[in-house]
């Protein structure tokens, strides 16, 4: 399965390169990322919680850079294991080029899956993997634009930070009401 795309990133190629190699940025952008640790230069160990075709599972993955040409391009290789859910492996060629007031980020990725994920059917498995890849690059673009707050903590905190202002206000009002009612037993 192949996925390719192009994004305009409002950063210089050097800044985009730095962001693509930042554990905090990767954590914010990798779908379902629970943790990420840099085990060596250009090598990351990732734990993800994913739901694929209604099945929620934990994946442990390794990401590593090959053929790095800072700040222009690299090949990102990945291997992941979800236990009984299956496994995935692939690579993504990422190229960064100056473009006006930022950088043109182009990617071409391919991935293969096996185990229970592959048994869902080729089209459904491809759709799930394609969605994960597209989700990563969408989040990266949004983070670079300042639309997605980088959070060095868990999913609940990241969801809170992504909430629109009206949801913050509503949540705060509900919390105040619950606190007041709990202390006084009446409104």
């Amino acid at each position: 399965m192949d996925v390719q795309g192009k994004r305009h990133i409002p950063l210089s190629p050097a800044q985009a390169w730095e962001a693509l190699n930042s554990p905090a940025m990767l954590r914010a952008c990798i779908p379902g990322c629970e943790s990420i640790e840099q085990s060596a230069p250009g090598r990351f160990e990732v734990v993800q919680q994913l739901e694929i075709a209604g099945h929620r599972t934990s994946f442990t993955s390794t990401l590593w850079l090959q053929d790095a040409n800072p700040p222009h391009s690299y090949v990102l290789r990945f291997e992941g294991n979800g236990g009984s859910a299956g496994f995935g492996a692939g690579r993504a060629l990422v190229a960064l080029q100056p473009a006006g007031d930022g950088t043109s980020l182009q990617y071409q990725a391919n991935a293969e899956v096996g185990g229970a994920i592959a048994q869902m059917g080729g089209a459904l498995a491809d759709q799930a993997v394609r969605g994960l890849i597209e989700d990563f690059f969408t989040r990266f673009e949004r983070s670079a634009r300042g639309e997605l707050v980088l959070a060095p903590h868990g999913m609940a905190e990241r969801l809170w930070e992504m909430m629109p202002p009206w949801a913050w206000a509503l949540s705060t009002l509900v919390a105040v009401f619950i606190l007041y009612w709990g202390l006084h037993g009446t409104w």
Side-chain angles (χ1 to χ4, degrees):
M1 187 257 324
D2 293 317
V3 178
Q4 56 186 345
K6 184 176 183 179
R7 306 282 178 160
H8 181 77
I9 308 299
L11 303 171
S12 71
Q15 291 169 320
W17 177 273
E18 193 72 27
L20 283 168
N21 289 283
S22 159
M25 178 68 89
L26 291 172
R27 181 174 186 161
C29 298
I30 295 172
C33 186
E34 293 284 320
S35 68
I36 183 166
E37 291 188 29
Q38 188 166 5
S39 57
R43 188 176 187 92
F44 303 92
E45 306 301 324
V46 179
V47 176
Q48 293 170 271
Q49 290 293 325
L50 296 175
E51 186 170 326
I52 299 176
H55 300 289
R56 188 158 180 80
T57 190
S58 179
F59 275 82
T60 56
S61 305
T62 300
L63 310 174
W64 68 97
L65 304 182
Q66 289 183 323
D67 303 326
N69 180 17
H72 306 291
S73 64
Y74 64 76
V75 174
L76 176 66
R77 296 240 179 230
F78 51 92
E79 292 180 355
N81 187 332
S84 63
F87 61 90
R91 68 178 191 84
L93 172 60
V94 178
L96 305 170
Q97 298 177 345
D101 62 342
T103 298
S104 172
L105 181 152
Q106 297 179 29
Y107 61 93
Q108 182 175 2
N110 61 38
E112 294 181 24
V113 295
I117 296 170
Q119 294 173 1
M120 295 184 316
L124 189 56
D126 283 357
Q127 181 182 6
V129 173
R130 185 179 313 276
L132 291 171
I133 293 169
E134 289 291 336
D135 193 18
F136 171 84
F137 285 105
T138 297
R139 289 174 184 216
F140 181 76
E141 180 180 16
R142 288 185 64 212
S143 291
R145 293 185 185 288
E147 298 169 6
L148 184 63
V149 177
L150 296 183
H153 34 53
M155 179 60 92
E157 290 86 356
R158 281 186 290 175
L159 290 174
W160 175 259
E161 292 169 352
M162 292 186 298
M163 286 173 41
W166 64 265
W168 291 346
L170 180 61
S171 298
T172 302
L173 286 173
V174 168
V176 167
F177 174 76
I178 290 170
L179 179 62
Y180 185 87
W181 188 63
L183 291 174
H184 300 286
T186 181
W187 190 252

